[in-house]
């Protein structure tokens, strides 16, 4: 069995320490240990009080998610919790770190909860497509009220000790040593009457909440907005409604068990657990051992004070790292700094940032027009616009000023890292660090490995990403790397569909219904249509699928920036409004190209766009541009708004199956007259009945 619980007697207390590193989940050995040792403490006459705590820095991180796919051994969690609740001796939870999911639910079955300053509380099961299934949906509303409990469950957020105390989740926060405070608490309990009233028997909040049915409507509206397409939030709300409306606690628990089972069986749960583990797997690079020495990053610099550069500078300041923002001219620098200040002021006004943090972050951002001032930076990230010649020039300058050992990174989203590295005398120090806009908000960092990038530089960039609170994924060097290379194919399909008969709102609507955060044309409007158009004009090369965007640009429709593009926008609004002028432009371009437009279903739109992603993803795997298919999933979920509850494009492709994909490609060829050549990897997997999600390389 996995994990253990230690038993130690101190004073008149039995201390049960959960030991299951690194985060103490409730694995088989932990559940069985708790069950047996609670029993032992009941029998032990010298014991007056039981204290449960965690070894290391975590209390209990919840149920062991890795056990969900196999046969469960050891005592079931409900049996452990029942044993705790029926204890004849008081139980104190001494919470020394994360008490999440089943961890908080265990603590709620104790008589008292005391914690240190490092503790964190939460019921984040919704992020795994689950609901708190060990009494959390019934106990937390009884303890703190339905509204606060729903907020914690639906947001999956972590609650800090001071808020937990205010809400009533815990009884005390230890000022110094947690165990000393727990003993003092136990001592004090001697003077109190026992048994105490259990949370299951509390009814004050329940009675008050019966008069507030609006709480549930509001929660449903919020879930519809923030968790569109997900099933677990609705089932959580139902459980909390049961906690309020059904007086019999055990009946509420039965409702929770019924809904937990529905979640457990759902494909969304499987997809979200795939995301949970593979977000962490992305940090593991087979040919770069975790002991690889990292370079020390104390000072950073960012070149280019535009939206991207400013956002990256904010990431450093947010992580407490001093950063110098450099631009070619004072006007650009002033504009960039003003934007940063405005962003922080907004956070301050919304109460998301304290005054002291606001001041500290701004003070960490320096500015300069002089490359010489970057001489002491440990990492320099170039974030100017996508022009290879300009980037090469900047790297030549960096090569002459940067100190030895500094990491020279480019934020390019598609250009050749090796070409950039070659203009320096130190290609081993050059790497791609592709942030997503707005960089201070978007959680993804695509780290791009050049042919000569040193392993220590890659390891440092990946760790730096974590420090900047990003999910970092390593990609190999090719046009567009992983994310944008796939996006090109996705956009090609979307643009083709436009010519064949669909309108921007049809395509965006179908893909949003599938779960994408934003449709391709609303995204195109956000990014701006003019940059690509100018490039095409310069090169004199425009494909048929670019002709609609070209025509819109000729009519000065550049996207959100001037209030009209594939849609029109009211002043100060980002809400896309379909526009008849766009419809007639598309029809005109299609007719000029001799395309007879037809009616296109939402299913066809989704199939063609998502299959384009899957097929290109498979080619990327074949060419070792990605280490594993789940890395592609993580990039799409965190960088491109792919619905996490579908597990990412490759996980979705696996669900369809390689054989079916090939059959569908053939059908698409017949239907559209386009070439739908399956990636060799898909052909190979179809023959071997293999799986995309299990595919892994040793390097990129
Ligand atoms: C639940 O409780 C259901 C119940 O309501 C009902 C049951 C009937 N299980 O994140 P890290 C691994 S559902 C197994 O890098 P950090 C993780 O994969 C659960 N493994 O550390 C990683 O492994 P590796 C509700 C777990 O310090 C290693 O631990 N609970 C679990 O950045 C380190 O993790 C949650 O959803 C787990 N529960 O963050 C909490 N948790 O090293 C999930 C972690 O091989 N956990 N691992 O890659 C977390 O949010 C974070 O791990 C935590 C620590 C904040 C605790």
């Amino acid at each position: 069995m996995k994990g253990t619980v230690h038993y130690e007697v101190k004073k008149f207390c039995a201390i049960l320490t959960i030991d299951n590193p690194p985060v103490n989940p409730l694995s088989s050995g932990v559940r069985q240990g708790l069950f047996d040792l609670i029993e032992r403490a009941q029998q032990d006459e010298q014991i007056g009080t039981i204290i449960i705590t965690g070894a290391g820095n975590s209390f209990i991180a919840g149920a062991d998610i890795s056990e969900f796919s196999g046969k469960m051994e050891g005592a079931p969690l409900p049996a452990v919790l029942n044993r705790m609740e029926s204890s004849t001796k008081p139980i104190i939870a001494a919470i020394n770190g994360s008490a999440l999911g089943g961890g908080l639910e265990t603590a709620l079955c104790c008589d008292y909860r005391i914690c240190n300053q490092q503790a964190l509380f939460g019921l984040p099961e919704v992020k795994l497509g689950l609901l708190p299934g060990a009494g959390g949906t019934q106990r937390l509303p009884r303890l703190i009220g339905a509204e606060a409990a729903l907020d914690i469950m639906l947001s999956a957020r972590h609650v800090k000790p001071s808020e937990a105390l205010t809400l009533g989740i815990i009884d005390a926060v230890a000022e110094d040593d947690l165990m000393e405070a727990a003993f003092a608490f136990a001592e004090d309990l001697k003077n109190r009457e026992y048994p105490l009233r259990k949370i299951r028997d509390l009814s004050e909040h329940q009675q008050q909440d019966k008069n507030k049915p609006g709480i549930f409507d509001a929660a449903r509206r919020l879930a519809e907005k923030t968790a569109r397409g997900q099933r677990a939030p609705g089932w959580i709300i139902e459980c909390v409604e049961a906690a309020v409306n059904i007086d019999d606690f055990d009946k509420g628990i039965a409702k929770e068990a019924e809904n937990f089972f529905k979640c457990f069986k759902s494909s969304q749960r499987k997809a979200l657990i795939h995301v949970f583990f593979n977000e962490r797997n992305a940090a593991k690079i087979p040919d770069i051992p975790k002991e690889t020495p990292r370079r020390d990053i104390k000072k950073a610099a960012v070149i280019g004070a535009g939206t991207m550069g400013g956002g990256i500078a904010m990431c450093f300041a947010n992580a407490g790292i001093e950063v110098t923002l450099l631009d070619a001219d004072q006007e650009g620098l002033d504009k960039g700094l003003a934007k940063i200040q405005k962003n922080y002021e907004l956070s301050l006004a919304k109460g998301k940032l304290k005054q002291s943090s606001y001041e500290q972050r701004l003070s960490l951002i320096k500015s300069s027009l002089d490359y010489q001032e970057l001489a002491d930076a440990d990492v320099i990230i170039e974030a100017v616009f996508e022009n290879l010649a300009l980037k090469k020039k900047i790297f030549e300058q960096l090569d002459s000023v940067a100190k030895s050992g500094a990491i020279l990174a480019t934020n390019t989203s598609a250009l050749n890292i090796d070409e950039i590295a070659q203009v320096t005398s130190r290609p081993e120090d050059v790497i791609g660090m592709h942030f997503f806009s707005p960089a201070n908000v978007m959680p993804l960092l695509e780290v791009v490995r050049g042919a000569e990038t040193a392993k220590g530089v890659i390891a440092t960039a990946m760790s730096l990403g974590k420090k900047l609170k990003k999910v970092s994924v390593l990609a190999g060097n090719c046009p567009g790397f992983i994310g944008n290379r796939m996006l090109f194919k996705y956009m090609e399909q979307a643009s083709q569909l436009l010519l064949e008969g669909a309108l921007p709102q049809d395509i965006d609507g179908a893909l949003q219904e599938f779960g994408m955060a934003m449709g391709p044309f609303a995204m195109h409007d956000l990014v701006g249509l003019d940059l690509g158009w100018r490039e095409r004009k310069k090169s004199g090369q425009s494909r048929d699928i670019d002709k609609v965007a070209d025509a819109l640009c000729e009519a000065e429709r550049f996207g959100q920036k001037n209030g009209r593009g594939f849609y029109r926008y009211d002043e100060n609004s980002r809400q896309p409004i379909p526009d008849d002028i766009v419809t007639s432009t598309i029809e005109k371009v299609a007719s000029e190209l001799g395309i007879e437009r037809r009616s296109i279903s939402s299913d066809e739109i989704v199939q063609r766009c998502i299959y384009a992603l899957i097929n290109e993803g498979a080619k990327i795997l074949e060419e070792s541009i990605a280490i594993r298919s789940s890395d592609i999933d993580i990039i799409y979920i965190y960088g491109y708004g792919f619905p996490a509850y579908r597990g990412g494009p490759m996980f979705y492709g696996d669900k369809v199956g390689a054989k079916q994909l090939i059959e569908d490609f053939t059908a698409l060829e017949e239907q559209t007259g386009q070439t739908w050549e399956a990636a060799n990897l898909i052909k190979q997997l179809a023959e071997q009945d293999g799986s995309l999600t299990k595919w892994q390389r040793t390097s990129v």
Side-chain angles (χ1 to χ4, degrees):
M1 282 198 278
K2 192 172 151 211
T4 187
V5 184
H6 305 291
Y7 190 88
E8 190 190 353
V9 178
K10 253 195 190 164
K11 301 183 183 169
F12 56 96
C13 298
I15 304 165
L16 275 54
T17 306
I18 294 158
D19 190 358
N20 190 17
V23 293
N24 298 332
L26 291 158
S27 313
S28 51
V30 173
R31 294 194 306 273
Q32 193 60 50
L34 279 174
F35 189 87
D36 294 344
L37 296 177
I38 297 276
E39 191 58 43
R40 180 170 156 192
Q42 305 296 312
Q43 311 300 332
D44 192 339
E45 279 181 8
Q46 57 175 329
I47 298 303
T49 299
I50 302 165
I51 299 176
I52 300 181
T53 193
N57 299 324
S58 179
F59 176 65
I60 303 172
D64 184 339
I65 305 163
S66 65
E67 281 184 351
F68 288 173
S69 49
K71 195 172 156 273
M72 287 248 185
E73 283 185 285
L77 190 54
V80 178
L81 300 185
N82 284 341
R83 186 68 201 92
M84 286 170 61
E85 247 187 357
S86 59
S87 166
T88 53
K89 300 176 181 179
I91 306 180
I92 298 173
I95 300 168
N96 57 307
S98 303
L100 301 175
L104 177 56
E105 291 172 298
T106 303
L108 294 179
C109 290
C110 298
D111 297 290
Y112 291 99
R113 288 159 291 284
I114 177 166
C115 74
N116 63 10
Q117 290 294 353
Q118 286 72 49
L120 284 178
F121 304 86
L123 292 175
E125 284 87 343
V126 71
K127 277 180 88 176
L128 303 171
L130 285 171
L131 55 79
T137 66
Q138 304 303 298
R139 286 193 182 87
L140 197 61
R142 281 177 165 80
L143 185 64
I144 65 170
E147 196 170 4
L150 274 169
D151 163 47
I152 288 175
M153 289 182 230
L154 295 176
S155 68
R157 71 189 174 93
H158 292 175
V159 175
K160 291 192 179 147
S162 56
E163 189 189 350
L165 189 64
T166 312
L167 285 172
I169 298 175
I170 48 169
D171 300 290
V173 182
E175 280 176 12
D176 295 311
D177 186 75
L178 176 63
M179 289 316 281
E180 286 308 318
F183 288 131
F185 215 78
E187 199 66 53
D188 186 47
L189 277 184
K190 281 184 180 167
N191 308 320
R192 298 203 208 168
E193 208 179 310
Y194 196 82
L196 305 152
R197 214 148 66 110
K198 307 284 174 194
I199 293 177
R200 59 183 290 144
D201 300 324
L202 300 178
S203 60
E204 288 84 349
H205 280 297
Q206 200 189 24
Q207 294 316 319
Q208 286 165 16
D209 287 339
K210 281 192 206 294
N211 302 318
K212 300 181 198 161
I215 295 174
F216 300 104
D217 293 336
R220 284 200 173 86
R221 280 197 301 274
L222 184 75
E224 183 48 43
K225 219 166 105 186
T226 57
R228 190 168 46 88
Q230 291 183 49
R231 309 199 65 191
W235 286 328
I236 290 175
I237 297 168
E238 264 181 38
C239 288
V240 179
E241 270 180 316
V244 169
N245 296 324
I246 305 176
D247 289 336
D248 182 338
F249 180 81
D250 291 325
K251 283 196 178 145
I253 285 284
K255 178 74 194 166
E256 181 188 272
E258 182 191 321
N259 282 9
F260 184 80
F261 189 61
K262 285 194 231 166
C263 289
F264 195 82
K265 279 200 341 196
S266 85
S267 58
Q268 295 195 350
R269 192 271 300 172
K270 291 183 193 119
L272 287 163
I273 287 185
H274 161 81
V275 175
F276 177 86
F277 282 119
N278 287 303
E279 178 183 329
R280 285 151 181 87
N281 267 343
K284 297 170 190 158
I285 304 165
D287 71 326
I288 303 184
K290 61 173 195 289
E291 316 70 63
T292 306
R294 269 75 172 156
R295 300 186 186 179
D296 216 11
I297 306 291
K298 290 212 178 74
K299 272 190 171 183
V302 177
I303 299 176
T307 309
M308 189 49 101
I312 299 173
M314 285 177 76
C315 293
F316 280 103
N318 297 349
I321 300 173
E322 186 183 310
V323 56
T324 302
L325 189 59
L326 181 142
D327 203 88
D329 59 69
Q330 191 63 46
E331 198 192 333
L333 204 51
D334 290 345
K335 246 170 107 178
L337 291 169
K339 179 88 196 290
I340 291 173
Q341 176 147 3
K342 199 172 151 212
N343 283 342
Y344 280 135
E345 274 166 7
L346 261 169
S347 303
L348 191 67
K350 285 186 191 158
K352 289 184 181 167
L353 198 64
K354 284 194 211 143
Q355 179 72 29
S356 55
S357 313
Y358 164 81
E359 284 162 18
Q360 192 226 3
R361 290 178 193 192
L362 277 179
S363 74
L364 283 170
I365 302 179
K366 319 277 176 212
S367 64
S368 176
L369 295 171
D370 182 2
Y371 275 77
Q372 292 300 334
E373 287 187 35
L374 310 187
D376 62 347
D378 302 301
V379 60
I380 305 176
I381 302 180
E382 162 279 307
V384 303
F385 61 91
E386 289 291 87
N387 179 306
L388 189 60
L390 177 64
K391 286 183 193 272
K392 281 180 169 175
K393 213 171 128 213
I394 289 173
F395 272 76
E396 271 167 9
Q397 268 173 290
L398 290 182
D399 194 28
S400 66
V401 296
K403 69 178 181 188
S404 151
I407 293 179
L408 308 182
T410 167
N411 178 58
T412 178
S413 60
L415 300 174
N416 190 333
I417 304 288
D418 291 332
E419 270 195 62
I420 296 172
Q422 283 316 315
V423 303
T424 72
S425 60
R426 38 177 143 175
E428 67 282 4
D429 291 337
V430 177
I431 194 163
M433 288 180 77
H434 175 206
F435 290 77
F436 289 70
S437 189
N440 51 314
V441 177
M442 292 293 282
L444 182 69
L445 176 67
E446 193 178 27
V447 175
V448 189
R449 180 179 198 162
E452 293 184 57
T453 312
K455 290 187 179 181
V457 171
I458 298 168
T460 308
M462 296 292 287
S463 302
L464 178 60
K466 191 163 185 193
K467 205 161 181 192
L468 302 184
K469 298 218 159 43
K470 304 288 173 204
V471 178
S472 310
V473 182
L474 186 65
N477 185 24
C478 70
F481 319 125
I482 297 176
N484 279 349
R485 172 165 161 184
M486 288 166 68
L487 186 72
F488 298 150
K489 296 292 168 189
Y490 173 81
M491 289 305 295
E492 270 175 31
Q493 273 312 314
S495 307
Q496 185 64 37
L497 284 158
L498 211 56
L499 294 174
E500 287 176 31
L503 294 174
Q505 55 272 29
D506 301 330
I507 298 169
D508 285 0
L511 286 160
Q512 274 192 294
E513 191 55 37
F514 173 80
M516 297 299 289
M518 197 183 239
F521 294 104
M523 189 174 70
H524 209 149
D525 272 357
L526 180 68
V527 175
L529 277 58
D530 48 335
L531 270 178
W533 169 62
R534 285 186 220 287
E535 286 294 319
R536 291 193 291 275
K537 267 182 49 156
K538 228 191 305 170
S539 67
Q541 284 174 355
S542 178
R543 302 164 300 175
D544 287 353
I545 50 172
D546 298 320
K547 298 273 190 279
V548 173
D550 288 348
L552 293 176
C553 286
E554 298 291 351
E556 297 201 341
R557 301 185 70 105
F558 300 138
Q560 270 193 32
K561 61 176 80 168
N562 72 340
R564 48 188 196 273
F566 283 99
Y567 297 95
R568 65 180 174 80
Y569 300 84
D570 285 341
E571 214 170 306
N572 296 325
S573 163
R574 289 165 179 263
Q575 184 63 38
I577 304 167
D579 196 337
D580 289 343
I581 300 172
V582 175
T583 308
S584 51
T585 306
I586 297 167
E587 287 168 350
K588 184 165 173 275
V589 172
S591 128
E592 282 165 6
L593 292 169
I595 297 171
E596 203 172 311
R597 286 169 60 78
R598 62 184 169 93
S599 147
I600 296 181
S601 71
S602 294
D603 285 349
E604 183 181 339
I605 293 170
V606 170
Q607 191 185 49
R608 285 173 59 178
C609 292
I610 303 298
Y611 278 15
L613 287 179
I614 300 169
N615 205 30
E616 198 60 21
K619 289 181 187 166
I620 280 172
L621 278 175
E622 237 168 76
E623 293 168 29
S624 296
I625 296 298
I627 294 173
R628 44 182 95 76
S629 78
S630 58
D631 285 358
I632 299 177
D633 289 335
I634 298 303
I635 286 188
Y636 259 76
I637 289 165
Y638 289 112
Y640 295 85
F642 195 96
Y645 63 82
R646 292 194 192 270
M650 308 315 278
F651 185 86
Y652 182 79
D654 234 10
K655 234 177 91 185
V656 177
K659 273 191 192 141
Q660 187 62 48
L661 283 172
I662 291 185
E663 275 179 34
D664 291 345
F665 286 173
T666 313
L668 279 173
E669 284 201 329
E670 281 166 20
Q671 184 185 341
T672 63
Q674 287 180 327
T675 311
W676 275 87
E677 174 75 25
N680 288 332
L681 179 60
I682 295 182
K683 290 183 193 159
Q684 186 190 323
L685 292 174
E687 274 167 26
Q688 300 164 349
D689 232 356
S691 148
L692 275 171
T693 31
K694 296 203 175 111
W695 184 258
Q696 167 143 0
R697 290 278 182 192
T698 49
S699 166
V700 296

